[in-house]
Amino acid sequence: MVNGLEKLEKLGLHTIFELIPAGLCIAADTSCKEIIYNSIAAQFLRIQTQTASPTPDKPYRIFRDGRELSPADRPLERAAWLGDEVFGDQLELVWEDGIRKYAIWNSRPLRDAEGSIIAAICTFEDITEKKRMLGELERHSEQLNVRPGQYQLLLHSIPCLIFLLNKAGVIEFANECADQFFKGWMGRLSGLPLIGAVIPRDRLNGKSLSQIVGRSRFSRKGSLVSSYRLPNGQQVWIQWQLRRYTDPVTGVTGIICAGCDITDRENAEQAFHCQHKRRERIDLLNKALRGEIGGQELVEAARRVGISLTAGSLLYIIQIRGVTSGGHTVPQDKPGQRCQAKLDRLITEIERKTVGIVWPSCAGIAVLEQPPSQENISYNPQDQDIAEILLSLVRTVFSDKRADIGTTTVTGDPPNMALAYQQAMFALRAGQAIHKGKGGTVYHWQDLGMLQLMSAYYDSDQSRAFVQAELGALLEHDKIKASSLVDTLEAVLTADSAAAVARQLHVHEKTVLFRKRKIERILGTNIDNQDKQLNLLMAIKLLRLMQFGDKN
């Protein structure tokens, strides 16, 4: 059986699993027979190992409002079996030795690009201590001989946000926690309506306050969650519980509202969900590049994971030499880990500096930039600007490495990602092979001209036969004599004059003319003939592509 942590790694979620500051459980598949726990969850659930062996029973019983739950009603199973999203489910766990713990649970299914459930995640926050404090409050509230000073002191000592409201929902008392939390931007709280001033009205989903308030102990019925943006920009999530109560001093009935900070739990769940969504996107886009999914099926699957694929998008493949070449895997030793950290940083920086989708592919870092307008589906002059931004970021992160970029425009309706990937990779390969780039160069498919015709056939037997027919004698001479007449021929065919060839090869013009006559004698042809020039130039370009492919 595959180890649970290996399954977690397969889901692409292992990197943040132990960093989440909340209890977290993952059903490795939809059966929920094997559940993986982070260390916080394992400690709370009193489990020795983070990966539970398949077992039909748990070492504890689970209750909601005093009723024991069946397996199908537990949050994780509901997400995995039914596809339910569970939020704010307050549960009690009871062990045989009498230990009782309380937690607020969230769960949701994890789906693949096709929308099928493949696993489920459950996060929870331990509220055992807060529950104990609220229990103390309830017990004291039943003692009618409590003095007002003692009662308020008790409320101030509770590490939650506590409000006492009249029947109309107007705040009459706020404990120190609530006062410190809100007074920075709301000032005095007494006399303000709880709904609207403290809890946004839209959190009631059209219900009245009386419909929300629980009648007995703090329960699911009276539970609301709202978020707040603090003056320093931090976002905080508070879970509110409301119930009716009778003031133990005055005997007046009203509403008590208790709020608990669930920011860590909420951030943990959002981070985990974002990581899963990112993994879904990467898997889908890499399948598209490999041609395993395409057409309308790809467009619909992309839409489900939040990607809008349109013709006119620009695809870039970034190769960093010695780091992200085709088939290259970053080693897992310490230097490799540092290298991977740099790659992760580069991807993050590209996401910050551009509006593109960035992901690691088997050939390098892929970037998909949406077109500036739907009407423009051809080569975009802004492409060069984006490419320069990408190169600049690579130089910043990998200052000791050289990088090249292959790019093309995605075409087709629906957009053909596999074709775009082939074009970008060929532009990269052709640029590195034919132009002999020294790194830091952008190669555009649209700039290749006639070379585009070679993309599908350059490594075929027919192409090799053509190269042999046109250049075979010259290649044999260079091999025997250790000369470089093929390089001279390429310079003669691409330069404007003998003087330009001489400057390029750092020789005298007479040497160029001598070598030219020698090449013509070896090939048995006049290389001033335009048709022959075209054949020879095409053969040389094919040769460069073949040599580059053999070398890499």
Side-chain angles (χ1 to χ4, degrees), residues 36-188:
I36 311 161
Y37 307 89
N38 70 353
S39 56
I40 295 177
Q43 182 178 6
F44 176 85
L45 298 172
R46 305 172 71 189
I47 295 173
Q48 298 300 319
T49 175
Q50 288 181 238
T51 304
S53 300
T55 174
D57 300 315
K58 288 181 168 62
Y60 48 82
R61 299 162 67 192
I62 305 177
F63 296 83
R64 180 190 298 123
D65 296 335
R67 182 180 62 85
E68 186 170 3
L69 302 187
S70 65
D73 202 25
R74 295 168 179 168
L76 190 62
E77 283 79 356
R78 285 175 59 186
W81 296 351
L82 305 176
D84 289 348
E85 290 196 8
V86 178
F87 185 78
D89 196 358
Q90 183 173 307
L91 301 177
E92 177 185 14
L93 282 69
V94 181
W95 280 262
E96 290 183 357
D97 58 5
I99 295 294
R100 293 174 180 267
K101 294 185 179 182
Y102 299 87
I104 296 177
W105 300 74
N106 291 350
S107 67
R108 66 174 61 187
L110 300 180
R111 302 178 185 271
D112 59 18
E114 286 71 39
S116 300
I117 299 174
I118 56 173
I121 173 178
C122 189
T123 60
F124 65 86
E125 180 187 13
D126 181 2
I127 61 167
T128 304
E129 182 60 22
K130 294 176 181 177
K131 187 77 172 178
R132 186 189 67 80
M133 294 295 293
L134 290 172
E136 289 291 323
L137 172 62
E138 290 193 350
R139 283 193 292 274
H140 281 285
S141 68
E142 294 169 357
Q143 300 174 9
L144 298 181
N145 60 349
V146 175
R147 294 192 299 274
Q150 289 179 325
Y151 187 55
Q152 290 198 1
L153 183 62
L154 174 64
L155 294 176
H156 284 307
S157 68
I158 295 176
C160 300
L161 310 179
I162 301 291
F163 292 102
L164 298 182
L165 321 174
N166 62 22
K167 291 181 179 180
V170 176
I171 300 172
E172 295 185 339
F173 170 84
N175 73 345
E176 288 183 0
C177 282
D179 190 55
Q180 291 175 2
F181 183 83
F182 285 104
K183 74 176 182 181
W185 74 91
M186 291 182 60
R188 184 177 174 82

Side-chain angles (χ1 to χ4, degrees), residues 277-510:
K277 278 292 185 184
R278 178 178 176 81
R279 174 56 56 184
E280 279 188 313
R281 285 184 168 201
I282 292 173
D283 290 345
L284 176 65
L285 289 169
N286 281 334
K287 283 183 180 179
L289 297 188
R290 295 192 298 265
E292 297 174 8
I293 183 173
Q296 195 60 36
E297 181 185 6
L298 170 61
V299 173
E300 293 174 359
R303 188 180 298 116
R304 284 195 293 269
V305 295
I307 300 174
S308 176
L309 292 179
T310 56
S313 299
L314 299 171
L315 177 65
Y316 303 86
I317 303 296
I318 307 172
Q319 279 193 358
I320 305 168
R321 300 187 186 184
V323 178
T324 60
S325 56
H328 179 81
T329 301
V330 177
Q332 294 304 305
D333 53 10
K334 286 189 177 180
Q337 291 172 0
R338 287 194 292 269
C339 183
Q340 184 61 55
K342 285 187 175 183
L343 282 175
D344 294 340
R345 176 189 164 198
L346 176 60
I347 290 174
T348 300
E349 288 297 316
I350 294 173
E351 289 175 334
R352 289 179 58 246
K353 298 289 186 180
T354 70
V355 295
I357 302 169
V358 190
W359 73 98
S361 72
C362 63
I365 296 176
V367 182
L368 184 66
E369 280 277 341
Q370 297 296 320
S373 65
Q374 294 297 322
E375 292 76 17
N376 181 10
I377 59 171
S378 59
Y379 178 80
N380 189 333
Q382 292 182 340
D383 180 24
Q384 184 65 33
D385 297 333
I386 298 171
E388 288 303 322
I389 291 173
L390 298 178
L391 282 176
S392 175
L393 292 174
V394 173
R395 294 188 197 104
T396 300
V397 178
F398 288 93
S399 57
D400 57 337
K401 303 290 184 182
R402 295 181 297 176
D404 297 297
I405 297 177
T407 180
T408 189
T409 301
V410 181
T411 58
D413 184 19
N416 193 331
M417 290 292 293
L419 176 62
Y421 176 66
Q422 294 170 6
Q423 291 175 351
M425 284 303 301
F426 183 76
L428 188 60
R429 183 180 294 111
Q432 292 171 334
I434 295 171
H435 300 295
K436 302 176 184 178
K438 297 181 180 180
T441 309
V442 181
Y443 303 107
H444 304 266
W445 165 262
Q446 286 79 4
D447 293 342
L448 293 183
M450 290 186 64
L451 274 178
Q452 294 180 6
L453 302 176
M454 302 180 185
S455 61
Y457 308 106
Y458 74 90
D459 201 28
S460 64
D461 292 340
Q462 187 175 0
S463 295
R464 291 184 182 277
F466 176 73
V467 171
Q468 183 62 30
E470 294 294 330
L471 300 173
L474 199 59
L475 290 169
E476 185 66 20
H477 178 275
D478 278 351
K479 183 178 179 181
I480 295 173
K481 300 294 185 178
S483 58
S484 56
L485 291 181
V486 171
D487 294 340
T488 301
L489 175 59
E490 183 178 17
V492 169
L493 294 174
T494 55
D496 296 332
S497 63
V501 176
R503 288 193 298 272
Q504 182 178 336
L505 299 179
H506 306 289
V507 296
H508 196 277
E509 282 188 50
K510 291 184 178 180

